Amino acid sequence: VQLVESGGGLVQAGGSLRLSCAASGFTFDDYAIGWFRQAPGKEREGVSCIRRNNGYTYYVDSVKGRFTISSDNAKSTVYLQMDSLKPEDTAVYYCAADSMAWKYATTCTMGNMNYWGKGARVTVSS
């Protein structure tokens, strides 16, 4: 499995960015993709995830109403649209995948990710 993030950058507070995660190499079509972030000096935080086969989504409270996760299954790409960005959103954002999601439930679970991308840096200036 390979995950490649793109779309990070520098933006002013209140602005928008869209992150992309191009996924490949899955054995089954039913998997979950999640976005995590890690700010300097802080622990990694699960931000959002999506289940490929049914579109189920999850968001951490701090991004609800501002971030939108979506999937283009034809392109095997997951997007994280980030609007109304705040300086506290500054972090390295990682795309992750749960390749075994097909074995259980119909949701996505942030703690089950078993593949990771290299990350994309997002900096929000005040």
Side-chain angles (χ1 to χ4, degrees), residues 28-43:
F28 300 100
D29 287 340
D30 185 11
Y31 52 85
I33 297 289
W35 286 98
F36 294 75
R37 64 186 179 185
Q38 188 165 20
K42 295 188 176 181
E43 292 187 354

Side-chain angles (χ1 to χ4, degrees), residues 82-95:
M82 304 184 293
D83 299 320
S84 302
L85 282 162
K86 304 175 181 180
E88 51 264 43
D89 295 316
T90 295
V92 177
Y93 283 71
Y94 296 92
C95 172

Side-chain angles (χ1 to χ4, degrees), residues 6-17:
S6 61
L10 172 65
V11 65
Q12 289 188 331
S16 298
L17 281 175

